[in-house]
Amino acid sequence: MSTSAWIMGGVLLASLGAEVAWAQAQGATGGIYTCVDKNGRRLTADRPIPECLDREQRELSPSGITRRQIGPSLTEHERTAQEAQRRKEAEERARVVEERRRERVLVARYPDKATHDVERAAAIQLVDDVTSTAEKRVEELKAERKKFDVELEFYKKDPTKAPMVLRRRIAENDDSMGEQQRFIAGQDQEKRRVHARFDTELAQLRKLWDAQRLPAAATSSSESTTAPAASR
């Protein structure tokens, strides 16, 4: 055999050895899967184990360290239920975050009861002002109706002979009076709603104010306890 043939053979053997070593290295980095099946048997494989699809499997590194936990695999119905539960939990977390934000805004707006009472009074006064305007309009309509009634005296024996214009004005006056009275009644309901809203806020604020005072009281108590000890 010539020298060149020996050299070529050596190169091929070296290349083959490198490929084998590379393949072994790739295999060494692969995971090892292990689980305990429904019969209590410990199973091990180099890929996810079909017998344990309904239970948890562990993927281990070649050194035996757990890389991750897998499964169990879920049915379509189970996945749907799980996703619904996740959405529900996410919505609940978002609700709690939003509630805490609103509480912070509420306490910042009303740091004490006096501030809250002032705003309640202002809201009620606004309703009273609107109601007062409607009541003034009612008085105007009553005065207007008295004039119409005076004119109608001429036709009290036969009201049907009253001029159409007069009868139309009386009808319009009655409609306007009814509208204003309904509006005033609505404002009474609005005042009750305003009071109910502020009552609900006040009940919530009392709890928030108390919660703020507790840490402050605890800090004050701790400082008063440590002060004598420091003096000694």
Side-chain angles (χ1 to χ4, degrees):
M1 183 180 294
S2 66
T3 303
S4 60
W6 278 104
I7 294 173
M8 184 63 69
V11 171
L12 291 174
L13 286 173
S15 299
L16 179 60
E19 290 178 2
V20 170
W22 180 84
Q24 288 174 343
Q26 287 296 102
T29 60
I32 302 170
Y33 296 85
T34 180
C35 68
V36 178
D37 70 5
K38 63 182 179 180
N39 297 318
R41 295 179 302 168
R42 169 73 62 180
L43 303 179
T44 303
D46 60 354
R47 65 198 63 194
I49 303 170
E51 292 84 353
C52 291
L53 292 179
D54 62 339
R55 61 198 60 242
E56 184 180 277
Q57 302 185 47
R58 288 187 301 152
E59 181 185 0
L60 308 178
S61 68
S63 61
I65 298 175
T66 300
R67 285 178 173 174
R68 59 173 174 153
Q69 293 180 337
I70 307 172
S73 299
L74 302 178
T75 64
E76 183 65 26
H77 176 74
E78 289 171 335
R79 283 195 297 271
T80 301
Q82 186 180 70
E83 183 61 29
Q85 181 63 25
R86 287 174 179 170
R87 285 197 301 270
K88 183 178 179 181
E89 292 172 354
E91 290 169 359
E92 178 61 18
R93 288 193 297 270
R95 185 195 66 79
V96 171
V97 169
E98 177 62 16
E99 184 176 342
R100 296 293 177 268
R101 185 193 67 80
R102 290 179 179 178
E103 288 176 352
R104 290 193 296 271
V105 170
L106 193 63
V107 172
R109 183 174 182 179
Y110 305 115
D112 50 45
K113 186 175 182 298
T115 307
H116 192 255
D117 288 343
V118 168
E119 187 149 336
R120 181 200 291 260
I124 293 299
Q125 185 60 51
L126 182 61
V127 178
D128 288 341
D129 290 344
V130 174
T131 302
S132 178
T133 300
E135 290 173 343
K136 288 179 181 179
R137 178 56 181 157
V138 167
E139 294 302 318
E140 293 173 356
L141 290 170
K142 287 181 179 179
E144 188 179 68
R145 180 57 187 265
K146 287 181 179 179
K147 295 179 181 179
F148 295 152
D149 288 342
V150 170
E151 293 184 39
L152 199 60
E153 281 291 324
F154 294 103
Y155 310 98
K156 63 180 179 180
K157 292 183 180 180
D158 189 1
T160 59
K161 292 183 179 181
M164 182 60 67
V165 173
L166 178 59
R167 284 186 283 172
R168 185 174 67 250
R169 288 178 178 176
I170 291 174
E172 290 173 351
N173 182 279
D174 289 342
D175 290 342
S176 296
M177 181 69 75
E179 182 179 347
Q180 293 301 318
Q181 288 172 343
R182 288 190 296 272
F183 180 79
I184 292 172
Q187 291 305 108
D188 288 340
Q189 293 179 356
E190 177 62 19
K191 185 183 290 188
R192 287 193 290 272
R193 283 194 293 270
V194 170
H195 276 303
R197 176 173 68 83
F198 277 89
D199 287 343
T200 300
E201 280 183 353
L202 183 58
Q204 184 180 11
L205 281 166
R206 290 185 189 279
K207 296 178 181 179
L208 296 175
W209 292 331
D210 289 343
Q212 282 185 332
R213 283 193 290 269
L214 285 175
T219 302
S220 176
S221 175
S222 175
E223 289 175 352
S224 63
T225 302
T226 57
S231 65
R232 289 197 297 269

